[in-house]
């Protein structure tokens, strides 16, 4: 259908009115073949690169767009947004698609709060998540240390810092269009390749990550998330004030593991503390900390629990959005435990020995010997 519409445009430029009628007939035939009625009509929209993408102009009842309004989803993914018997809670958003970077469905605001007892690697996990979201999803991510916003007005200052982060170059359709036009106008000038690359990049919007560097020192902050009441307040405030989606990431670690014991002893020596001091601080904080409840009282929240990092994972409402599912997949593979990664080439082949490139020759005598020794080593 998009090809037909493109042909119609070319026909107008060349004065060939026959292309218009034939294109319309092709559109109608395609719609009829697909069993689409008025509610499934297809429209085409040109992408910045000049290619075209199909958008369902409306979805049927239960869809996510109002009648007559174009949606930012390709037609082939429309069925993923409707509840079915086998999928009663479908994903809220399909994956990002090249050419749709200016669409509003990739510009949601997210706030992740990393919580847990002291010395659980919360800052480490926050930084790792920041790098992942920036590199693989093109999201603009900023870390907010709750300890930097303490004091009588600390809660209000952190809220305003989040507001400023989200509202500066928020990536709305109007701003996005102006930015894209200016970048296209700058093509050919200094640095135009970097501008073009940024313009084409798929953006997942803005993502704020809250964490603490001094867990015990953040107890007085409403943003610490260490109690049910604070988590409820955070979720409500972010929704009402910033229209942001909140994700809680709780890290639980068993202090009886050998890795944890060695880490605590090393940290106490580095800080000049008496043996057992850090364990006492953790025990004191436990009197204030309330883990995310799984009794139904917090089931409306979006959260994940990492128990001993990736040994056991509890997810709640994380898989209903594309970005939430990606975060869950990534964090379940992240941990601070030491490990060694070995890299090896294949054993020498007959072509290697003959200085030939390519092919699929068998291993040489030395190659087979190497394979056997590598198996013994592994």
């Amino acid at each position: 259908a998009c090809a037909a519409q493109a042909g119609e445009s070319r026909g107008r430029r060349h004065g060939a009115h026959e292309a218009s009628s034939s294109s319309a007939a092709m559109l109608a035939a395609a719609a009829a073949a697909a069993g689409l009625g008025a509610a499934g009509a297809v429209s085409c929209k040109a992408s910045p690169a000049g290619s075209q993408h199909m958008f369902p102009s409306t979805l049927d009842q239960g869809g996510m767009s109002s009648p007559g309004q174009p949606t930012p989803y390709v037609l082939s993914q429309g069925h993923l947004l409707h509840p079915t018997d086998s999928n009663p809670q479908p994903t809220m958003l399909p994956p990002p698609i090249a050419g749709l970077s200016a669409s509003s469905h990739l510009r949601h605001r997210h706030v992740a709060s990393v919580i847990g007892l002291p010395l659980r690697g919360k800052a480490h996990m926050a930084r790792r998540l920041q790098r992942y979201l920036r590199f693989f999803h093109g999201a603009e991510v900023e870390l907010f240390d709750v300890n930097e916003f303490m004091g009588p007005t600390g809660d209000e200052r952190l809220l305003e810092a989040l507001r400023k982060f989200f509202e500066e170059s928020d990536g709305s359709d109007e701003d996005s269009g102006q930015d894209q036009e200016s970048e296209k106008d700058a093509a050919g000038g200094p640095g135009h390749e970097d501008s073009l690359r940024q313009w084409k990049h798929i953006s997942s919007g803005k993502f704020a990550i809250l964490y603490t560097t001094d867990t015990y020192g953040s107890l007085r902050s409403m943003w610490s998330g260490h109690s049910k009441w604070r988590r409820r307040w955070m979720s409500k405030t972010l929704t009402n004030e910033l229209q942001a989606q909140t994700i809680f990431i709780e890290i639980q670690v068993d202090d009886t593991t050998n890795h944890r014991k060695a880490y605590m002893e090393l940290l106490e020596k580095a800080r000049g503390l008496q043996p057992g001091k850090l364990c006492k601080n953790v025990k004191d904080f436990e009197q204030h900390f309330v883990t995310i409840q799984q009794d139904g009282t917090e089931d409306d929240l979006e959260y994940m629990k990492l128990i001993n990092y990736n040994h056991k994972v509890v997810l709640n409402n994380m898989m209903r959005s594309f970005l939430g599912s990606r975060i869950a997949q990534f964090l379940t593979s992240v941990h601070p435990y030491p490990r060694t990664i070995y890299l090896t080439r294949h054993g020498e082949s007959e072509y290697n020995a003959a200085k030939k490139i390519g092919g699929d020759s068998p291993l040489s005598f030395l190659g087979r010997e190497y394979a056997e020794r590598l198996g013994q080593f592994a």
Side-chain angles (χ1 to χ4, degrees):
C2 287
Q5 186 168 339
E8 182 179 350
S9 299
R10 290 194 297 271
R12 287 199 187 101
R13 289 198 299 269
H14 291 86
H17 298 287
E18 292 81 358
S20 175
S21 59
S22 62
S23 298
M26 291 175 64
L27 277 169
L36 299 176
V42 177
S43 61
C44 296
K45 181 176 181 180
S47 70
S51 61
Q52 304 212 1
H53 301 271
M54 288 192 295
F55 296 81
S57 59
T58 57
L59 294 176
D60 58 10
Q61 294 182 358
M64 299 184 66
S65 64
S66 57
Q69 297 297 321
T71 67
Y73 311 118
V74 293
L75 185 62
S76 61
Q77 291 181 334
H79 68 283
L80 298 176
L81 308 177
H82 302 292
T84 62
D85 292 339
S86 59
N87 185 23
Q89 292 184 327
T91 57
M92 293 184 294
L93 299 173
I97 303 165
L100 302 183
S101 58
S103 299
S104 60
H105 77 285
L106 292 180
R107 307 227 176 235
H108 289 286
R109 298 172 174 182
H110 296 83
V111 178
S113 176
V114 186
I115 63 176
L117 295 177
L119 303 175
R120 263 50 184 174
K122 295 185 293 294
H124 169 76
M125 299 292 275
R127 295 187 185 100
R128 291 292 300 272
L129 180 59
Q130 179 191 38
R131 294 178 62 186
Y132 168 76
L133 292 173
R134 279 179 173 177
F135 186 84
F136 288 101
H137 296 284
E140 184 177 348
V141 187
E142 186 167 334
L143 298 175
F144 293 85
D145 183 357
V146 176
N147 293 99
E148 296 180 358
F149 297 89
M150 300 302 296
T153 61
D155 295 336
E156 292 79 7
R157 288 188 292 112
L158 180 50
L159 177 60
E160 291 307 311
L162 290 169
R163 190 191 310 277
K164 181 179 179 181
F165 167 66
F166 284 122
E167 292 183 354
E168 283 186 348
S169 302
D170 192 27
S172 62
D173 291 341
E174 294 181 1
D175 294 340
S176 177
Q178 293 174 357
D179 293 341
Q180 292 180 3
E181 290 298 330
S182 63
E183 288 173 355
K184 287 188 286 185
D185 293 340
H192 71 281
E193 292 183 358
D194 292 337
S195 298
L196 186 60
R197 188 180 302 113
Q198 183 179 4
W199 172 53
K200 290 181 177 180
H201 193 58
I202 297 175
S203 173
S204 293
K206 290 195 172 186
F207 203 106
I209 302 177
L210 308 181
Y211 72 105
T212 59
T213 50
D214 181 2
T215 308
Y216 198 85
S218 67
L219 268 174
R220 294 182 179 273
S221 174
M222 291 294 293
W223 298 97
S224 63
H226 71 270
S227 67
K228 289 177 61 176
W229 178 53
R230 281 171 167 78
R231 290 191 290 270
R232 184 66 60 189
W233 178 88
M234 290 173 61
S235 179
K236 183 178 179 180
T237 300
L238 291 171
T239 300
N240 295 339
E241 296 289 336
L242 303 180
Q243 295 75 52
Q245 181 178 349
T246 309
I247 300 173
F248 292 99
I249 302 170
E250 180 180 343
I251 303 175
Q252 298 181 1
V253 181
D254 184 0
D255 279 331
T256 62
T257 61
N258 293 331
H259 171 77
R260 288 292 300 173
K261 289 180 179 178
Y263 172 73
M264 300 280 273
E265 293 174 359
L266 183 64
L267 196 58
E268 286 174 341
K269 291 180 180 179
R271 296 182 179 181
L273 301 175
Q274 293 293 327
K277 178 64 175 178
L278 291 179
C279 288
K280 182 180 182 303
N281 291 344
V282 172
K283 292 293 184 182
D284 291 341
F285 187 82
E286 284 181 343
Q287 305 303 315
H288 303 275
F289 183 76
V290 179
T291 184
I292 296 177
Q293 301 297 293
Q294 295 178 244
D295 57 0
T297 58
E298 294 189 275
D299 281 358
D300 59 314
L301 300 180
E302 187 171 352
Y303 68 81
M304 66 181 302
K305 285 186 176 184
L306 300 171
I307 303 172
N308 286 333
Y309 301 106
N310 57 359
H311 289 187
K312 181 180 180 181
V313 179
V314 178
L315 301 176
N316 188 73
N317 293 330
M318 290 289 294
M319 308 306 289
R320 294 199 62 198
S321 67
F322 171 75
L323 206 55
S325 65
R326 298 301 92 192
I327 292 172
Q329 182 186 40
F330 172 71
L331 290 181
T332 53
S333 62
V334 176
H335 60 80
Y337 302 132
R339 67 270 201 188
T340 304
I341 299 175
Y342 296 94
L343 304 178
T344 177
R345 291 190 63 191
H346 60 77
E348 182 188 63
S349 68
E350 293 179 355
Y351 276 15
N352 291 148
K355 307 298 183 183
K356 292 183 178 181
I357 297 177
D360 188 19
S361 64
L363 295 176
S364 66
F365 172 79
L366 291 179
R368 291 191 296 273
E369 181 68 18
Y370 176 80
E372 291 178 0
R373 295 191 183 187
L374 179 63
Q376 295 172 3
F377 172 79

